[in-house]
Amino acid sequence: MSAYEQDPAGPDAALTALDRLVGAWRVTGGAEGTVVYRWMEGRYFLLQDVDLVQDGKRVVGLEVIGRERAFGAERPGEDIRSRFYDSLGNTFDYVYELAGDTLTIWAGEKGSPARYTGVFSADGTTVTGPWTYPGGGGYDSTMVRAG
């Protein structure tokens, strides 16, 4: 398969399960504001638009979430990875995993001690959980569906 051919099987089930995130969310807790998730055409990449205030600073950013497929690779990578770009010049890498109603987002690599672990409510309108950082840092975060 060339670098510009679409996988005939389409996006896999683990990636399409993130469809639960699509839409606008109001975020409260250690960061306050809004995030909006939307699929890029083809549904191989989920985009997150971020507009938050954290530690007194406004952070506007874009996250691209999906499976990496390096130039020349026949298949995408095993993990669902993302890269976040923000208005302060930062880039952060994450690994996403959705198991049942639990969404885990590891900072850097899967299994990292820096992570978010959120649980969807039964009706899918809220996701609540902590951001945990090594050394005891972190904060609670709640996302409530806004649209």
Side-chain angles (χ1 to χ4, degrees):
M1 180 163 46
S2 81
Y4 294 101
E5 288 182 73
Q6 184 176 26
D7 181 351
D12 61 84
L15 184 59
T16 59
L18 296 178
D19 198 51
R20 294 174 79 173
L21 292 168
V22 170
W25 299 83
R26 176 85 181 125
V27 178
T28 57
E32 307 269 335
T34 59
V35 297
V36 177
Y37 290 90
R38 59 192 166 87
W39 287 108
M40 178 185 275
E41 186 173 336
R43 296 177 55 93
Y44 287 93
F45 296 98
L46 185 63
L47 306 177
Q48 179 186 198
D49 299 299
V50 172
D51 191 345
L52 298 171
V53 174
Q54 185 173 13
D55 297 326
K57 295 179 186 162
R58 183 171 182 228
V59 178
V60 176
L62 172 68
E63 185 176 19
V64 180
I65 305 159
R67 295 198 188 273
E68 291 180 344
R69 188 173 79 178
F71 187 78
E74 298 246 349
R75 301 200 187 298
E78 182 177 326
D79 292 330
I80 297 173
R81 296 186 169 274
S82 76
R83 172 149 296 167
F84 176 75
Y85 304 87
D86 74 22
S87 56
L88 303 175
N90 296 303
T91 59
F92 299 119
D93 294 327
Y94 298 97
V95 176
Y96 275 65
E97 182 177 73
L98 181 60
D101 290 331
T102 302
L103 174 65
T104 304
I105 305 170
W106 287 280
E109 295 296 325
K110 190 172 182 175
S112 167
R115 69 189 175 283
Y116 170 75
T117 307
V119 178
F120 281 86
S121 62
D123 63 3
T125 61
T126 62
V127 184
T128 303
W131 278 97
T132 304
Y133 302 121
Y139 58 88
D140 290 332
S141 180
T142 300
M143 293 193 324
V144 177
R145 191 171 290 282

